[in-house]
Amino acid sequence: MKISELSERSGVPVATVKFYIREGMLPRGETVSATRAEYDEGHLARLRVIAALTGVRGLPLARVRDILALIDAPTGDPVEILGRAVGALPPYVDELRGDHPLARAAIAELGLTYDADFTAVAQLEEALRALEAAGLDASPAALRRYGDAMLQVASAELALLPGMRLDEAVTYAVLGTALYEPVMLALRRLAHHHLLVARPPASTDPEEKRRNLSQKP
Amino acid sequence: MKISELSERSGVPVATVKFYIREGMLPRGETVSATRAEYDEGHLARLRVIAALTGVRGLPLARVRDILALIDAPTGDPVEILGRAVGALPPYVDELRGDHPLARAAIAELGLTYDADFTAVAQLEEALRALEAAGLDASPAALRRYGDAMLQVASAELALLPGMRLDEAVTYAVLGTALYEPVMLALRRLAHHHLLVARPPASTDPEEKRRNLSQKP
């Protein structure tokens, strides 16, 4: 297809497509004449991935480039791939090295693995510090509400990996880390809404209050 | 305490403290002389909340102001409070009204409540569109991995509300929506890491491979 069709089908302006090509984020089209290049479904798929990462995730371009580089040159070590993918996602933490006392205690309590070099440890430290600063409960019991659910989610996600080819598995791990997060957060918000709407409201009708009181033994 | 001590204990520069006061996000101190105002623990707590929301959440100032307004003037309707809190959090969606076909189908499948006016519906629509654009699985089975876990998390969170005063409940609902999200995401990343590190690696040692093969029946 021509660049104009590629632009139309992806929803990405022609100038932006050309920018991504110059930046090495999108391969050049195949030159068919001095003034025309031909693009294929692979170009379209790549543009849609870029749009997904810059769109709903709102990632800065430099981080999108990091994620694309991981997909383009898959290595065989899943722990390293995960570490690099997580490092490309917010929250971006300044002090990667050093001690992370709140995260270390939480990770021990939840039975997870503490590895100070894995970016999510520093991200958890920041998140727990923010909870404490705001006066919210960061106790082991509070964290267990999330830890157990996340272990269950992560197990279900990783169960799919063994059936995949290496390049598929890397794409799934990298894009899945980035793109299932907004889904999960939206679903938590919807679950709150659902539970609040579905539960019987505290009555403000005096007549009904009287009836409820009179039913007390 | 003096403004200098307030700044030191909160980690927020004096100029920024003054800015928050001018913007109405932080109450003025009590005037004790022509050149001095006195601040208390309430000022410190408020500054820490602002720092938590701008820090780990990286929220724009206008959104932080929306969240503070919710805490300062709690209304009795939890669904409305949740709706306004969620509207102050990313992803910021343009088209709130209108149809959300992917989200509607997913919500029906998961047994949640569809309310097109609740911002998380539009947020889920965007998130699902990004999944599809990137070629990731957005089928009901894939979404159930997240939906069931989020319903479990939300139930545990809401179970705490009945024991709280109205202002406590509003603060918990509003700040909790914002500040437990980064904790949950960090824990999902840590759970992936833990499961990858803990599982037996595919062997690359030829000698071991041979042994494994010879053990086959």
Side-chain angles (χ1 to χ4, degrees), chain A residues 113 137 146 157 180 192 194, chain B residues 113 137 146 157 180 192 194:
Chain A
T113 303
D137 186 0
Y146 306 97
E157 293 175 318
Y180 284 109
H192 283 145
H194 173 70
Chain B
T113 303
D137 187 359
Y146 306 97
E157 292 175 318
Y180 284 110
H192 282 145
H194 173 70

Side-chain angles (χ1 to χ4, degrees), chain A residues 45 48-49 52-53 55-57 78-79 82 86 89-91 106-107 110-115 118 120-121 123-124 126-138 142-143 145-158 160-162 171-172 175-199, chain B residues 45 48-49 52-53 55-57 78-79 82 86 89-91 106-107 110-115 118 120-121 123-124 126-138 142-143 145-158 160-162 171-172 175-199:
Chain A
R48 287 186 171 146
V49 165
L53 293 171
V56 70
R57 283 310 312 246
V79 176
L82 177 68
V86 162
L89 296 174
I107 287 168
L110 295 171
L112 298 174
T113 303
Y114 181 78
D115 170 359
F118 181 52
V121 173
Q123 291 169 338
L124 181 62
E126 292 269 301
L128 294 177
R129 237 186 269 162
L131 275 190
E132 292 200 339
L136 292 178
D137 186 0
L143 298 183
R145 287 203 289 276
Y146 306 97
D148 293 349
M150 289 306 98
L151 207 47
Q152 174 190 322
V153 163
S155 298
E157 293 175 318
L158 290 186
L160 303 174
L161 281 179
T171 301
Y172 171 69
L175 292 184
T177 300
L179 295 178
Y180 284 109
E181 286 182 353
V183 172
M184 202 169 66
L185 296 186
L187 288 175
R188 171 173 173 255
R189 297 167 184 182
L190 286 162
H192 283 145
H193 180 261
H194 173 70
L195 293 171
L196 287 172
V197 169
R199 76 172 177 178
Chain B
R48 287 185 171 147
V49 165
L53 293 171
V56 70
R57 281 310 312 244
V79 176
L82 178 69
V86 162
L89 297 173
I107 286 169
L110 295 173
L112 298 174
T113 303
Y114 181 79
D115 170 359
F118 182 53
V121 173
Q123 291 169 336
L124 181 62
E126 292 270 301
L128 293 177
R129 237 186 269 162
L131 275 190
E132 292 200 340
L136 292 178
D137 187 359
L143 298 182
R145 287 201 291 274
Y146 306 97
D148 293 349
M150 288 306 100
L151 207 47
Q152 174 190 323
V153 163
S155 298
E157 292 175 318
L158 290 187
L160 303 174
L161 281 180
T171 300
Y172 172 71
L175 292 184
T177 300
L179 296 178
Y180 284 110
E181 286 183 353
V183 172
M184 200 168 67
L185 296 186
L187 288 176
R188 171 173 173 255
R189 297 167 184 182
L190 285 161
H192 282 145
H193 179 260
H194 173 70
L195 293 171
L196 286 172
V197 169
R199 75 173 180 180

Side-chain angles (χ1 to χ4, degrees), chain A residues 1 4-5 35 41 45 51 54 57-58 63 65 74 93 98 100 105 116 122 126 130-131 151-152 166-168 170 172:
Chain A
M1 70 188 94
S4 55
E5 188 185 342
T35 57
E41 297 297 318
T54 55
R57 283 310 312 246
R63 306 298 185 160
R65 197 183 286 116
V93 284
H100 304 293
E126 292 269 301
L131 275 190
L151 207 47
Q152 174 190 322
L166 175 65
D167 60 334
E168 283 175 342
V170 170
Y172 171 69

Side-chain angles (χ1 to χ4, degrees), chain B:
Chain B
M1 70 189 94
K2 291 193 210 173
I3 195 167
S4 55
E5 188 185 343
L6 180 66
S7 164
E8 198 174 309
R9 287 180 62 192
S10 64
V12 177
V14 168
T16 309
V17 174
K18 289 182 174 169
F19 170 77
Y20 290 152
I21 293 173
R22 279 200 308 277
E23 292 288 311
M25 295 165 70
L26 183 71
R28 297 188 176 284
E30 198 190 345
T31 309
V32 289
S33 79
T35 56
R36 218 193 113 192
E38 182 70 15
Y39 299 86
D40 59 23
E41 297 296 320
H43 290 94
L44 183 60
R46 168 59 69 112
L47 275 178
R48 287 185 171 147
V49 165
I50 297 174
L53 293 171
T54 55
V56 70
R57 281 310 312 244
L59 295 188
L61 217 56
R63 306 298 185 160
V64 174
R65 198 182 285 117
D66 292 346
I67 286 179
L68 295 176
L70 280 175
I71 296 173
D72 290 340
T75 75
D77 181 359
V79 176
E80 190 199 327
I81 293 165
L82 178 69
R84 289 171 60 196
V86 162
L89 297 173
Y92 302 119
V93 284
D94 290 335
E95 25 168 349
L96 268 189
R97 313 281 173 224
D99 196 25
H100 304 292
L102 299 174
R104 203 178 52 233
I107 286 169
E109 182 66 33
L110 295 173
L112 298 174
T113 303
Y114 181 79
D115 170 359
D117 288 344
F118 182 53
T119 312
V121 173
Q123 291 169 336
L124 181 62
E125 181 76 15
E126 292 270 301
L128 293 177
R129 237 186 269 162
L131 275 190
E132 292 200 340
L136 292 178
D137 187 359
S139 68
L143 298 182
R144 197 163 286 284
R145 287 201 291 274
Y146 306 97
D148 293 349
M150 288 306 100
L151 207 47
Q152 174 190 323
V153 163
S155 298
E157 292 175 318
L158 290 187
L160 303 174
L161 281 180
M164 296 184 187
R165 291 196 321 269
L166 175 64
D167 60 335
E168 283 177 343
V170 169
T171 300
Y172 172 71
V174 171
L175 292 184
T177 300
L179 296 178
Y180 284 110
E181 286 183 353
V183 172
M184 200 168 67
L185 296 186
L187 288 176
R188 171 173 173 255
R189 297 167 184 182
L190 285 161
H192 282 145
H193 179 260
H194 173 70
L195 293 171
L196 286 172
V197 169
R199 75 173 180 180
S203 174
T204 51
D205 171 7
E207 182 58 20
E208 195 184 323
K209 266 193 183 150
R210 196 192 51 72
R211 275 201 309 275
N212 289 344
L213 283 171
S214 66
Q215 280 167 6
K216 278 194 178 162

